[in-house]
Amino acid sequence: MSREPGTSREQEGEGPPATAVEAARWIRSAAVDDARGRHWRANPDPRGRAAMPDHPLSLYSGAAGIVVFFLELAAATGDESYLDDAVAGARYLAATWREQADLSLHHGLAGVMFALAETGWATGEHAFETEAGEIGDHIVRAARSIDGAPGWTGDPAQRGDGGIVLGLLHAAGILGVPAYQEVAVEAGARIAALVVPGHRFGEGACADLPLDAVTPGFLSGTAGTAFLLARLYGLTGEGAFLGAARRGADFVRAVSTVTERCALVPHHLPQGRDLHYLGFCSGSAGVARMFYELYRVAGDAADLDWVERLARGVVRSGAPARRTGGYWDSACQCCGTAGLLELFVGLWAVTGRPDHLEFARTLGESLTGRVTRHDGRGARWYQVYRRLRPWEVTADTGYMVGAAGIGAALLHLDATAHPERAGRLILPPDNPFPAIPVPGATLRRS
């Protein structure tokens, strides 16, 4: 059916903000309220199976990530009912975090601390900041001595100690607790002493990898650890952090495939040298964050050039239309289209280059074009979360794995079109791009 003259996709409910609102409706259909507050089922489909059912509080797939999405949606739409959703979820986090043993950023308490601190910031409710501080104190107390320095898991990657350090750095700033940064810096110093930060020889990054695999990617590998060390250099000015970040970056450069000013990163070595993920967790979108963070804190144009090489590799791959071994039927922030969208929105904010914004819009159109609303319960994305299990098709609600994160990415895209009302986005601590996704020159003109 043709569109009526003078109407837009946004007005017909097909554009990024309308789709984000519909995603919120899907998430609301998964709400579970009790005396402790509100959380959300990972997959509210009748007889539906969730991709990540075991982390109900987490930033990755649980309540903390959904709280962040509702905070952003309230700010983007002016509809305070979404703020009510966020507050109800934050109350649940505040009431239940002591039952959580995992301390990590994406799956554990460091992510819950992030969501509570941001809720306190957005609402002015001091109780949430207090609970975030309680979590921060708990994480600090839980540190153990590893090679004479504080640590928690012994894993330097962002899935382990690296992510916990990033969470403490965010909390130190937003809550005003310098002691969190002091512990984070001490823990980071141990990580910086590793020959190539992020290597985990003999311990596979996940059950699907060989035990001797080395992962250069972001969430479980070298690039994410180098990102952390660059962040610590930016905060402290200590050359040891920059040197260690450079060692990680040099390793990633050395193992990447470079052709015609494009770069692609292997998923794992040595077995997966020709498997190139494009997404956040193990591919180009995540590795680009590391190189941009290095550029941001050290100012070397060669690092920004590598961000551009990685972005060019994504475009040349044929995404989003073409599916490959490293870009399959996944829409989410972790390994799919939404993670690529975050990269290109960030690059637009950094460089102001129209081609980055145009490709971001192409990615956004892909997401809005593949949405499902078949039962009137809102927008969701059916996807294959795990590449090696193509028979598992799910439509999750969470941030990194489902509708909340896809909706947030669409809100970030929409913000690029409205510099006159640009506001602060709520970006996780591992996103180095500007919190206002509009180039400075455009902001000044508006």
Side-chain angles (χ1 to χ4, degrees), residues 71-374:
L71 290 175
E72 287 211 285
L73 191 59
T77 63
D79 185 340
E80 293 203 357
S81 71
Y82 298 126
L83 200 59
D84 295 338
D85 289 292
V87 167
R91 287 181 180 141
Y92 182 81
L93 296 175
T96 59
W97 69 261
R98 291 168 180 82
E99 303 167 13
Q100 169 70 262
D102 190 324
L103 301 176
S104 67
L105 177 64
H106 281 287
H107 295 307
L109 288 181
V112 174
M113 176 174 62
F114 167 75
L116 285 172
E118 289 290 346
T119 305
W121 183 272
T123 64
E125 291 195 27
H126 183 65
F128 294 131
E129 295 176 349
T130 299
E131 288 295 329
E134 291 285 338
I135 296 174
D137 293 346
H138 172 74
I139 291 173
V140 169
R141 288 193 301 268
R144 58 192 174 94
S145 179
I146 303 176
D147 297 329
W152 296 269
T153 68
D155 185 346
Q158 290 213 19
R159 62 178 180 163
D161 286 3
I164 295 170
V165 169
L166 283 175
L168 286 175
L169 293 176
H170 174 271
I174 196 169
L175 301 177
V177 184
Y180 297 162
Q181 181 169 317
E182 293 170 8
V183 173
V185 170
E186 291 179 29
R190 178 185 62 83
I191 296 172
L194 300 174
V195 176
V196 179
H199 272 54
R200 296 290 288 168
F201 289 106
E203 298 182 37
C206 69
D208 295 325
L209 290 182
L211 288 178
D212 62 344
V214 177
T215 51
F218 196 76
L219 191 56
S220 299
T222 310
T225 309
F227 171 95
L228 165 69
L229 295 165
R231 174 68 54 86
L232 287 168
Y233 169 71
L235 286 168
T236 67
E238 295 182 13
F241 288 126
L242 181 59
R246 286 271 175 235
R247 293 197 302 274
D250 288 346
F251 171 76
V252 173
R253 284 191 178 98
V255 302
S256 294
T257 299
V258 181
T259 56
E260 298 180 1
R261 295 190 57 75
C262 297
L264 293 169
V265 181
H267 179 263
H268 62 281
L269 298 165
Q271 303 89 347
R273 183 174 292 277
D274 296 324
L275 175 60
H276 302 121
Y277 275 32
L278 300 185
F280 156 81
C281 58
S282 302
S284 302
V287 174
R289 293 186 182 194
M290 179 268 288
F291 280 110
Y292 179 69
E293 181 71 3
L294 266 171
Y295 171 73
R296 190 182 71 84
V297 301
D300 187 338
D303 294 317
L304 185 59
D305 178 66
W306 259 79
V307 180
E308 296 283 7
R309 285 172 183 261
L310 290 160
R312 200 175 293 117
V314 171
V315 175
R316 293 279 182 89
S317 75
R322 180 171 177 257
R323 304 299 184 190
T324 65
Y327 178 71
W328 60 99
D329 190 19
S330 177
C332 65
Q333 287 255 6
C334 184
C335 50
T337 309
L340 299 182
L341 180 53
E342 295 284 16
L343 168 62
F344 283 89
V345 167
L347 274 175
W348 155 247
V350 169
T351 67
R353 284 179 44 180
D355 57 325
H356 291 321
L357 182 57
E358 185 60 32
F359 192 69
R361 289 171 175 160
T362 298
L363 294 165
E365 288 172 1
S366 175
L367 287 171
T368 57
R370 65 173 291 183
V371 73
T372 297
R373 303 182 180 89
H374 65 276

Side-chain angles (χ1 to χ4, degrees), residues 18-79:
T19 304
V21 166
E22 283 290 292
R25 193 147 69 92
W26 167 245
I27 295 167
R28 279 174 162 174
S29 76
V32 178
D33 290 309
D34 60 29
R36 300 172 296 178
R38 177 175 303 159
H39 64 285
W40 296 267
R41 297 191 300 280
N43 186 334
D45 266 330
R47 300 181 301 280
R49 175 177 179 175
M52 294 287 292
D54 300 325
H55 303 277
L57 270 65
S58 73
L59 184 63
Y60 193 93
S61 57
I66 292 173
V67 165
V68 170
F69 169 58
F70 277 123
L71 290 175
E72 287 211 285
L73 191 59
T77 63
D79 185 340

